[in-house]
Amino acid sequence: SQTIHQWPATLVQPVGSPLSLECTVEGTSNPNLYWYRQAAGRGLQLLFYSVGIGQISSEVPQNLSASRPQDRQFILSSKKLLLSDSGFYLCAWSIPGDSPLHFGNGTRLTVT
Amino acid sequence: KQEVTQIPAALSVPEGENLVLNCSFTDSAIYNLQWFRQDPGKGLTSLLLIQSSQREQTSGRLNASLDKSSGRSTLYIAASQPGDSATYLCAVTGTASKLTFGTGTRLQVTL
């Protein structure tokens, strides 16, 4: 069966520090991968999605970047965090085509 | 640009009641619609996926319907239980497999 791992679960970082959140998927090949952010009281905002290794699409201009160095690994990064980067970050995967989206347990990021 | 709206934003019902959650979307050119459940501080769990050619899907006490032409979906929960308390989100899939989410309905089922 397929599983998705996302870590860390919580993170507190000072403004200006770097960020690296990692997500891996097991049990499937060539998944579509996604990073979402959920701010308090707001809906989920798609940040990045990837349909293959090295293929990253950015949805909104922001302080973050994403990379997919391996088929089932998706990394969210920042060189210098802003206060506005605080939020709940969720990684997700799906099989290309008409299939459900499966989420990780999320990372709660607080930038102080 | 696709916009997804969920009404009501919050709902409290006594245990045992049947209830309906609503989702509407502005662009009917969708591939599918999904309903998710989110417990506090957790990720989302997929409940039901309705293909654009389907009218409804059922899983246990849950039934989701889709009227693509009018841009509406409903999630029906039968015989609600306290364990059903969570936030329920709907999302529509458009081009490039991208989902647009609603802001959710927070459901509380009381004893």
Side-chain angles (χ1 to χ4, degrees):
Chain A
S1 64
Q2 302 94 345
T3 56
I4 180 170
H5 302 280
Q6 187 181 342
W7 68 93
T10 59
L11 191 59
V12 180
Q13 292 283 104
V15 167
S17 63
L19 173 74
S20 181
L21 303 181
E22 188 162 344
C23 172
T24 59
V25 180
E26 296 177 359
T28 187
S29 296
N30 197 30
N32 290 340
L33 297 173
Y34 307 82
W35 279 109
Y36 284 87
R37 177 169 59 201
Q38 188 176 36
R42 300 177 62 181
L44 273 78
Q45 181 185 37
L46 178 62
L47 302 176
F48 301 95
Y49 69 96
S50 171
V51 298
I53 296 174
Q55 300 179 59
I56 310 294
S57 296
S58 174
E59 286 299 294
V60 293
Q62 58 201 309
N63 185 42
L64 302 168
S65 62
S67 62
R68 185 171 178 174
Q70 300 180 43
D71 181 43
R72 290 168 289 177
Q73 184 185 28
F74 207 22
I75 298 172
L76 184 69
S77 304
S78 173
K79 293 182 179 178
K80 289 185 178 181
L81 284 168
L82 306 173
L83 286 174
S84 59
D85 291 324
S86 294
F88 191 48
Y89 289 84
L90 289 155
C91 179
W93 70 273
S94 68
I95 297 172
D98 260 337
S99 69
L101 195 63
H102 303 278
F103 282 84
N105 285 329
T107 295
R108 174 77 57 193
L109 173 65
T110 303
V111 182
T112 60
Chain B
K1 178 185 174 186
Q2 179 73 270
E3 293 182 5
V4 180
T5 304
Q6 291 187 246
I7 295 173
L11 181 64
S12 181
V13 300
E15 181 180 13
E17 260 197 27
N18 303 324
L19 59 102
V20 175
L21 307 181
N22 296 291
C23 172
S24 61
F25 47 95
T26 54
D27 185 351
S28 62
I30 64 170
Y31 291 101
N32 60 50
L33 182 144
Q34 297 180 55
W35 282 94
F36 295 87
R37 168 188 173 134
Q38 185 177 28
D39 293 290
K42 300 294 185 182
L44 281 70
T45 301
S46 179
L47 297 174
L48 291 164
L49 180 148
I50 310 177
Q51 308 287 1
S52 62
S53 59
Q54 297 176 321
R55 299 283 293 182
E56 65 177 345
Q57 279 287 335
T58 298
S59 176
R61 294 182 293 110
L62 305 179
N63 177 276
S65 67
L66 174 64
D67 184 343
K68 201 173 78 162
S69 61
S70 67
R72 294 179 181 177
S73 176
T74 61
L75 179 66
Y76 175 82
I77 303 177
S80 58
Q81 303 171 358
D84 295 330
S85 299
T87 296
Y88 291 82
L89 298 102
C90 69
V92 295
T93 301
T95 57
S97 299
K98 292 187 290 183
L99 276 73
T100 302
F101 282 83
T103 52
T105 294
R106 191 170 61 253
L107 172 66
Q108 182 170 5
V109 181
T110 58
L111 292 170

